[in-house]
Amino acid sequence: MEPVEPPRLPLLLGVALGLLCSAGLTRSLTITSVDQSMFEKAQGERVTLPCTFELSEEDEGPLDIEWVLIPADNQKKEKIIIMYAVDRIYNHYYGAQTGRMAFTQNDPKNGDASLDIQNLKAEDTGTYQCKVKKAPGVQSRKIQLTVLVKPARTKCSIEGSQEIGKDVTLKCASQEGSPLLSYDWRRVSGTNELPATSMLNKDTGELLLKNASQEYSGLYNCVASNRVGTDECSVQLNVTPPVNTAGIIAGAIIGTLLGLSVLTFLVFCCCKKHREKKYEKEVHHDIREDVPPPKSRSSTARSYIGSNRSSLGSMSPSNMEGYTKTPYSQVPSEDFERAPGQNPTFAPSKVAAPNLSRMGAVPVMIPAQSKDGSIV
């Protein structure tokens, strides 16, 4: 008889049971929060980065939990931002986030090591890694956080001439805001539809209005937006008829000529006044230096006596005949005072006519007087 083979089913069940037992013996720490790994938040908001875990009976070592910030540059080292070790929390490692971050639970050892970050800033953008250690188990999870800045300080402006028939450009730009920014224009007053000739560039925020007409006038509103917020501004457009440039140019020329005329007149007056002052100073100076002071009566009398003496001294003895000298008593002295109504009389000197002519005398006709002083 041929030998009967033992049934294989019990053997297979034993192998399977052994494998299950070995798997149960090696089961260790696991991280259970695996749903979301990317977060986008606006600046100033709050975010919770999840990190929940489960421990096994085989994990007997001390529990260590740490959050690190992985820089985009691989050459830079990781930065520890918060840590839990030996039943104590350490959150002073990263100064930029000190006071703005904390564990969601006061005691992370209960299986929740999620991280809360408040008042987010643009520099908080990066990759965060949660590490949980309990020997022999070690697990980690990475989460990408992007902090976006809402559009802010958006300004509207008009470029170009606001005249009928001209091309006008409405501009809109936000001074703050994370890319990608998108701009949209709408008309507030009248119909909300933009003019038919308008061309909008949503990336640059420019709205071109070609061949503008007065119907284009009104209030326009621009809305700047990105994935986390919006901001807006408004501008008033007034399309007017063309300005008379010829009249403006003529007025400017006339005004310039009038201004030059007034300036020339003022310069002429100043020069004339300056010359008059200079002439007065020169004349006053000449009078003070050239004109002698007036003589007194006594000096006049002395000059009269001296001139008579010099005239007599120049005569020769032959010319002295018939010359009658004037007594000195008849010459006014320094103390002589004339009586009112009386004129001093001097005896005429008798000098021959030829001698007088040589002396340079000029003949003068003198009326004859009587003894009582009347003219004959």
Side-chain angles (χ1 to χ4, degrees), residues 70-342:
I70 302 174
D73 188 357
N74 296 329
Q75 302 296 329
K76 296 182 180 180
K77 295 182 180 181
E78 299 178 352
K79 296 179 181 179
I80 299 177
I81 55 179
I82 194 170
M83 182 177 178
Y84 175 85
V86 194
D87 298 331
R88 185 176 177 182
I89 297 175
Y90 301 89
N91 59 358
H92 60 277
Y93 289 99
Y94 189 47
Q97 293 180 338
T98 299
R100 297 191 295 115
M101 65 178 55
F103 285 107
T104 303
Q105 301 295 328
N106 294 330
D107 194 356
K109 69 181 180 181
N110 295 326
D112 190 357
S114 300
L115 179 66
D116 287 343
I117 305 177
Q118 299 179 356
N119 190 21
L120 288 170
K121 298 181 179 180
E123 51 266 26
D124 294 336
T125 298
T127 302
Y128 293 80
Q129 185 178 39
C130 174
K131 292 182 180 180
V132 181
K133 304 175 185 178
K134 189 172 177 65
V138 178
Q139 291 293 331
S140 64
R141 180 174 184 246
K142 292 181 180 180
I143 299 176
Q144 179 66 37
L145 173 63
T146 302
V147 180
L148 302 176
V149 180
K150 296 179 181 180
R153 299 170 61 189
T154 304
K155 294 184 178 181
C156 296
S157 60
I158 299 177
E159 184 179 84
S161 175
Q162 300 182 49
E163 296 181 359
I164 296 176
K166 301 290 185 178
D167 293 345
V168 184
T169 302
L170 306 184
K171 290 190 173 184
C172 179
S174 295
Q175 299 184 20
E176 296 180 7
S178 299
L180 298 168
L181 286 173
S182 178
Y183 299 92
D184 191 18
W185 281 93
R186 62 188 179 91
R187 190 173 178 181
V188 179
S189 59
T191 174
N192 292 334
E193 295 182 359
L194 296 174
T197 61
S198 63
M199 298 175 62
L200 174 61
N201 189 330
K202 291 191 175 183
D203 295 332
T204 61
E206 294 184 358
L207 177 64
L208 175 61
L209 304 178
K210 298 182 69 65
N211 193 19
S213 64
Q214 286 187 322
E215 288 75 15
Y216 292 2
S217 300
L219 183 64
Y220 289 78
N221 181 261
C222 173
V223 178
S225 61
N226 59 9
R227 295 196 298 269
V228 293
T230 62
D231 192 30
E232 60 185 54
C233 63
S234 300
V235 65
Q236 180 70 36
L237 177 64
N238 296 315
V239 181
T240 58
V243 181
N244 186 8
T245 56
I248 296 176
I249 295 174
I253 293 175
I254 293 174
T256 303
L257 293 176
L258 289 176
L260 292 175
S261 300
V262 173
L263 181 62
T264 304
F265 177 75
L266 293 176
V267 172
F268 173 76
C269 292
C270 293
C271 294
K272 183 178 179 181
K273 189 173 182 180
H274 178 71
R275 286 197 301 268
E276 289 178 353
K277 288 184 177 180
K278 184 177 180 181
Y279 177 75
E280 291 178 357
K281 289 181 179 180
E282 291 178 354
V283 171
H284 181 67
H285 181 70
D286 293 341
I287 292 174
R288 294 184 59 183
E289 291 186 354
D290 300 339
V291 178
K295 297 181 180 181
S296 62
R297 294 180 179 178
S298 58
S299 60
T300 304
R302 293 192 188 98
S303 300
Y304 174 77
I305 296 172
S307 61
N308 284 341
R309 289 178 178 175
S310 61
S311 299
L312 294 174
S314 61
M315 296 180 183
S316 60
S318 60
N319 295 331
M320 295 298 293
E321 293 180 359
Y323 178 78
T324 306
K325 295 182 180 179
T326 303
Y328 290 104
S329 60
Q330 295 181 3
V331 179
S333 63
E334 296 180 5
D335 300 329
F336 175 76
E337 292 184 0
R338 188 178 304 166
Q342 295 181 359

